[in-house]
Amino acid sequence: MQALRSGVGMAVDAVSAFVLSDFEKGIEFGDMSDVHKDVTFRNDTDLWGDAMDPDGGDGGDTLLDFHDDMLDAFDEIDTEISVGGGSVENVSAALRKIVDDRRRALAERRERIEGALKTAHGIKTRDKIVFVLGVQNVALTAFITGAAPELLPYWYTVKSVVLLLLRWYIYRRNKWHYFLFDFCYLVNVLTLVFLWGFRDNVTLFNLCCSFALGPLFVATITWGNSLVFHSEDKVTSVFIHLAPAMALYAVRFYPSDAFPLCRDAARCSISYWNAAVWPLVPYLVWQLLYYLRVEWWAAQRVRERGYVTSFNYLNKNKKSLVYRLCNRWGARHAQLAFMALQFVYIMLTLVPVKLLYSYQTAWAASYLAVFTVCAYNGGCYYIEVFARRYVASLPDDSTTPAERAARRSRRNTAASVGAAAADASNLPAPAQPTTTSQ
């Protein structure tokens, strides 16, 4: 019996390991720029039910099919243990055969699903859905701001949890996760800490307002954030830089029972010192910890594994102003120059904070202005970049792989014949095509 339990244990472990590896590697979300490795669902497929095949039959594969396969596998294992005869070794071999058969079947099913998800139709359907969600997000945020602004902190919190977790997953997968140590993410964390841990702390509230109205506002321009609705990556970047000011705006000008801090107007006042000078202290603490963690302690790991950080991202373009300023005294001092440049940036962006903090109209107008810049950048992206790049990036679904290979073969044959004829007649050969159909 002990050997039988071991055999069953091995079978169950094998099935579980395959399930876990399939989930870890099979579900991916990303931006359009990530070679369309996103999860996309064809509009003729019901994710939870039966898939309808245009040619008849049961069509495809769904999550319920996956679970049915798992249940069938365990039923077969249970049956083999209950009614199977022979030695323990025979039972163990039979269980292993069941696991191997199911493993092959699931691997084949996964290949079919991945092929369907990478079609042009699937990519476009996915992006249409994300686009609709992005527009609805803006509409709902505007509605809450007008109808019940006191709910904005809750709305901000819900979106923070979803978008920041999604960003961590995407960036970790693409070796961009060291971006998450950047200052803008710290401000979002501090805002959440204030909202749900220390909502009566004036010092923390004013600190969050200073960073949200200063560095984060201007960062939308320096980083070129754009409101591109079909891209969750670009929408998240806009959210990270603008949303803290939105939530704090509600606390500042629309106090409620949940967030009563500013019901006493005297408490919600700020001096120039507290708005533009004192915040430099916690910023310097963050800068020191960031340098020790990312640029010193993890420096070798970043280089060996190809991780991307803010410094090596901004410092890679030799024609950029950041590169010229950071490398003015040589590459050896580029990192220190970059930190000094960041500190000057923080100092300058904190200057107008007191004005924005003190007047609701100034706060709202500055928010609208920055949002308009993001919308304009998004419009430029759609008109000047997206239309051309998006169409070019889609796979050609109009032909089969065999047809595309035959087309390339015909072009190569024609080029060879043309070259031979040119040699015979001393004429230049026709140019070889520089592109091929996908």
Side-chain angles (χ1 to χ4, degrees), residues 40 115-127 390-391 393-398:
T40 54
L117 296 181
K118 292 180 180 178
T119 63
H121 180 80
I123 293 171
K124 288 188 288 187
T125 300
R126 179 262 182 190
D127 289 338
Y390 189 74
V391 173
S393 68
L394 292 176
D396 184 3
D397 291 345
S398 61

Side-chain angles (χ1 to χ4, degrees), residues 355-374:
L355 174 66
L356 304 183
Y357 181 97
S358 301
Y359 299 98
Q360 182 176 3
T361 303
W363 188 320
S366 62
Y367 185 95
L368 180 61
V370 175
F371 184 85
T372 301
V373 171
C374 295

Side-chain angles (χ1 to χ4, degrees), residues 311 314-315 317-341:
F311 173 68
L314 293 172
N315 198 46
N317 184 3
K318 295 184 178 181
K319 297 181 180 180
S320 69
L321 177 62
V322 172
Y323 179 88
R324 293 198 300 269
L325 292 175
C326 292
N327 291 272
R328 185 179 181 86
W329 296 276
R332 180 180 179 182
H333 304 291
Q335 179 63 57
L336 292 177
F338 180 69
M339 295 169 58
L341 183 64

